[in-house]
Amino acid sequence: MSKILVGLKRVVDYNVRVRVKPDGTGVVTDGVKMSINPFDEIALEEALRIKEKGGAAEVIVVSIGPADTQQQLRTGLAMGADRAILVQTDGAVEPLAAARVFLKLVEKESPQLVILGKQGIDDDNNQTGQMLAALWNRPQATFASKVELDGAKAKVTREVDAGLETIEVDLPAVITSDLRLNEPRYVKLPDIMKAKKKQLDTLAIADLGVDAGAQFKTLQYSPPASRQKGIMVKDVAGLVEALKQKGLM
Amino acid sequence: MARILVVAEHANGKLNPATAKCVACASGIQGAEIDVAVLAADAGAVAKEAAAIQGVKRVLKIENAANAEPLAAILAPQVAAAAANYTHVFGPSTTFGKDLMPRVAALLGVGQLSDIMAVESDYKFRRPVYAGNAVITVEASKDKKLVATVRTASFQPAASGGNASVESANVSAELPTHTRFVTRSAAKTGRPDLQTASRVVSGGRALGSADNFKIIYSLADKLGAAVGASRAAVDAGYAANDLQVGQTGKIIAPELYVAIGISGAIQHLTGIKDARTIVAINKDSEAPIFEVADIGLVGDLFTILPELEKAL
Ligand SMILES: Cc1cc2nc3c(=O)[nH]c(=O)nc-3n(C[C@H](O)[C@H](O)[C@H](O)COP(=O)(O)OP(=O)(O)OC[C@H]3O[C@@H](n4cnc5c(N)ncnc54)[C@H](O)[C@@H]3O)c2cc1C
Ligand SMILES: Nc1ncnc2c1ncn2[C@@H]1O[C@H](COP(=O)(O)O)[C@@H](O)[C@H]1O
């Protein structure tokens, strides 16, 4: 029976108000809460549901990141993943390098499906799934809001600018999750205990023979341009008057 | 010298304005030579529109029956083949471009720069990260082809009035059969398009039901505005998914944005940062939306909106 590979990226929690360091070398991450990228939780939830319906035998969660990323992988195991792989590196990993790492693992594990998030909410790149699909020479179904498996095919509904688009892809394939694909389950305490006994393998990125060499260099981080302070109006008449003053009515 | 290929986005025989915005971005690179590629079953009408964008030198028609629908797996090998003689390949940061361009980049063995918001030089750009909470200045390696998407809300479309040559390009690329188009459902509303409208009225969770959401449509119609929504309103089924504004929905830059019953979560705000004037109506005076609003009104939307409609 088949396997599903799921990517779990460790990112600054979505509730944190991210601030740029005064010296412009990055954003403040000291003491900041780190979590699984929200899209990846959705990706994992989808994989688990497919497995629970008999569509897969094993769900493997994969993360590329520093040693601390074990926390996020343990959370993934507690959600229900069967085992975890940490590809350890302390440096930044560009999406192309991440895709190359996933390709190596795909070659090793031969999954039927790889489900990633549509974007990491840290760098907002939205690239890795598409790149993996290209390198693997397999279909991509990005921004998925519905996945229906049918033997060696999948029908995927995608959230696109025009509305909803449905495509059919042959398996194996890469799917990237959009927000409305599902609502991830909460982790229960006993599951956290059980997850401690599950298998978590650690490899170094160099062991996979992937060159993480960077094409892009970030020269500076700046805070976004701030908007001018606005005015408060008391009532509808005040609102209409303010709109008129701005030439909007 | 930079030689830039812009991948056109189009539907139903019409060019998407995002393409002229990509040309505007490309024109920000000094001395750039800009070509536009139109991939379609029949590229004629779209190519003609693209040829009229100022700053475009040549339009390449890449025609194939398989290009009838914009499937990334099928378009990417053709774009990658066409990209051979270019230093830069740009596409819009729409769902079309986000789906396609990383696949093109990987086929070319290079990375991608997402969401260019400003050009500093041929290999130096600015882009937002962390839902727009930070802006980074990025330098790309000069010895690699640069594939990038352009954050359309950051650029005005390049003017029309140009007169580029139109040529048929022969690209040899093997096209996969593993990906097939089934259907697309787009709501036809007769209202302005959210991505390009100069005015947008958006509703949030506070509307409470799809039925109540109608008052948003009604106000929008009075203002000649497009309709938008927060994620909460879309998730709850009050509004269609293509109306979502924000980090993971549409990033827009209208003249006027009216946020009604929307709290102003960071993921929503990142979609409206470039709006000229933001109006917020919310019953909670502490709602974060008021921190970015140019005009704020505290109160119950269900009493304010009928009054406002009457006053218009
Ligand atoms: C990864 C990720 C991506 C996301 N992407 C997006 C995105 O693209 N776009 C997006 O919008 N959100 C996005 N979100 C969700 C976001 O965090 C918020 O949850 C969402 O924007 C809240 O929507 P809302 O403002 O409508 O609802 P709420 O936050 O519940 O706010 C409702 C507001 O209505 C006001 N209100 C209630 N009743 C009335 C009344 N009668 N009259 C006037 N005001 C009233 C309340 O005071 C409140 O401020 C994302 C979240 C995550 C985790
Ligand atoms: N370092 C990483 N570790 C695990 N998964 C990743 C990593 N980088 C990217 N991904 C996966 O790829 C998706 C898209 O990421 P990105 O292209 O960086 O926006 C994420 O949602 C993850 O599923």
Side-chain angles (χ1 to χ4, degrees):
Chain A
M1 271 263 268
S2 62
K3 300 176 188 174
I4 305 179
L5 223 60
V6 174
L8 295 188
K9 191 173 190 196
R10 171 184 165 95
V11 298
V12 173
D13 188 84
Y14 79 96
N15 275 313
V16 172
R17 198 173 256 229
V18 172
R19 282 176 302 117
V20 173
K21 286 186 193 160
D23 65 1
T25 57
V27 300
V28 178
T29 50
D30 283 351
V32 160
K33 184 178 176 203
M34 303 297 286
S35 300
I36 298 177
N37 182 38
F39 290 99
D40 299 352
E41 270 187 344
I42 295 170
L44 175 53
E45 176 65 34
E46 196 64 20
L48 295 174
R49 289 185 192 186
I50 291 171
K51 184 188 161 191
E52 283 157 6
K53 279 189 285 189
E58 191 181 29
V59 174
I60 307 165
V61 285
V62 176
S63 196
I64 310 158
D68 285 346
T69 309
Q70 288 198 15
Q71 295 160 11
Q72 281 68 42
L73 287 171
R74 288 284 170 210
T75 305
L77 292 170
M79 270 178 78
D82 298 293
R83 63 188 165 96
I85 301 171
L86 171 60
V87 179
Q88 202 171 317
T89 171
D90 286 327
V93 181
E94 288 178 2
L96 182 61
R100 286 177 170 151
V101 167
F102 276 104
L103 182 68
K104 290 285 180 194
L105 298 176
V106 159
E107 284 164 355
K108 208 157 115 192
E109 304 282 352
S110 307
Q112 274 291 88
L113 270 181
V114 178
I115 314 183
L116 304 183
K118 87 163 173 183
Q119 82 196 60
I121 61 161
D122 46 3
D123 293 331
D124 285 331
N125 273 321
N126 197 332
Q127 300 175 7
T128 308
Q130 297 88 313
M131 288 180 165
L132 170 62
L135 299 177
W136 191 13
N137 200 11
R138 293 306 307 166
Q140 67 188 49
T142 53
F143 326 147
S145 65
K146 192 172 174 199
V147 175
E148 296 160 279
L149 292 190
D150 174 15
K153 292 184 297 206
K155 213 156 132 196
V156 180
T157 303
R158 311 177 50 231
E159 296 209 8
V160 295
D161 290 340
L164 294 172
E165 177 182 289
T166 305
I167 62 173
E168 188 184 73
V169 296
D170 294 338
L171 302 182
V174 178
I175 293 175
T176 75
S177 61
D178 214 319
L179 292 172
R180 276 169 285 276
L181 182 56
N182 60 50
E183 234 176 272
R185 65 197 63 188
Y186 285 102
V187 173
K188 294 187 236 52
L189 197 59
D191 297 329
I192 296 174
M193 302 311 290
K194 262 195 279 176
K196 288 193 176 139
K197 296 200 199 82
K198 289 187 181 172
Q199 182 183 345
L200 192 164
D201 297 322
T202 301
L203 323 164
I205 196 163
D207 294 345
L208 290 170
V210 171
D211 169 20
Q215 179 179 354
F216 300 102
K217 200 160 95 197
T218 299
L219 304 177
Q220 199 187 342
Y221 284 75
S222 330
S226 56
R227 292 184 70 93
Q228 243 184 356
K229 185 109 191 72
I231 57 161
M232 297 300 287
V233 295
K234 281 206 309 287
D235 50 19
V236 168
L239 174 56
V240 171
E241 186 51 39
L243 286 171
K244 275 189 183 146
Q245 271 181 17
K246 288 192 178 278
L248 288 164
M249 271 184 63
Chain B
M1 187 193 61
R3 298 204 59 219
I4 305 179
L5 183 65
V6 171
V7 182
E9 175 168 359
H10 58 90
N12 309 314
K14 283 215 167 62
L15 191 65
N16 185 307
T19 305
K21 294 180 177 183
C22 290
V23 171
C25 172
S27 304
I29 295 175
Q30 275 204 347
E33 200 174 288
I34 304 166
D35 293 352
V36 173
V38 179
L39 292 92
D42 170 2
V46 175
K48 216 163 154 188
E49 268 191 88
I53 301 174
Q54 264 180 29
V56 177
K57 182 142 187 264
R58 289 191 311 164
V59 177
L60 308 178
K61 292 196 293 184
I62 302 175
E63 296 180 305
N64 190 320
N67 295 349
E69 295 295 341
L71 294 171
I74 288 168
L75 301 186
Q78 301 173 68
V79 176
N85 296 320
Y86 294 88
T87 56
H88 298 60
V89 188
F90 285 1
S93 211
T94 54
T95 53
F96 164 77
K98 288 174 179 171
D99 187 38
L100 173 63
M101 300 308 285
R103 190 161 182 126
V104 171
L107 290 179
L108 292 168
V110 297
Q112 177 187 286
L113 187 66
S114 296
D115 303 318
I116 294 176
M117 60 188 289
V119 177
E120 303 220 324
S121 72
D122 48 357
Y123 288 91
K124 207 158 123 193
F125 302 88
R126 272 184 288 149
R127 64 170 300 253
V129 291
Y130 291 98
N133 277 318
V135 173
I136 56 174
T137 307
V138 182
E139 191 164 43
S141 146
K142 284 193 171 61
D143 50 14
K144 290 201 169 120
K145 219 182 274 298
L146 181 60
V147 176
T149 59
V150 174
R151 183 178 184 272
T152 50
S154 298
F155 297 89
Q156 293 294 325
S160 60
N163 190 13
S165 66
V166 177
E167 302 168 17
S168 286
N170 266 325
V171 298
S172 71
E174 207 180 310
L175 305 187
T177 55
H178 54 46
T179 304
R180 297 167 292 274
F181 176 81
V182 179
T183 169
R184 184 176 306 111
S185 62
K188 282 192 198 66
T189 63
R191 293 191 173 81
D193 171 51
L194 175 58
Q195 245 156 352
T196 50
S198 65
R199 298 169 166 213
V200 174
V201 177
S202 276
R205 193 198 310 270
L207 272 299
S209 71
D211 204 44
N212 287 345
F213 206 86
K214 286 184 190 144
I215 59 175
I216 299 294
Y217 283 102
S218 158
L219 178 65
D221 289 346
K222 267 264 159 74
L223 288 165
V227 171
S230 71
R231 173 188 170 185
V234 175
D235 283 357
Y238 310 161
N241 72 283
D242 50 297
L243 299 187
Q244 181 173 314
V245 171
Q247 182 185 18
T248 53
K250 288 182 176 143
I251 311 274
I252 56 175
E255 290 289 306
L256 173 65
Y257 185 78
V258 187
I260 298 167
I262 292 177
S263 60
I266 187 72
Q267 294 88 1
H268 187 80
L269 299 185
T270 190
I272 61 171
K273 279 206 169 112
D274 295 301
R276 174 79 64 82
T277 299
I278 297 176
V279 174
I281 299 172
N282 195 304
K283 71 174 183 191
D284 173 11
S285 64
E286 304 283 307
I289 188 79
F290 289 121
E291 289 165 31
V292 300
D294 300 282
I295 308 172
L297 175 53
V298 177
D300 188 329
L301 73 95
F302 294 107
T303 51
I304 291 172
L305 288 205
E307 276 183 51
L308 181 57
E309 268 201 47
K310 238 184 266 159
L312 291 173

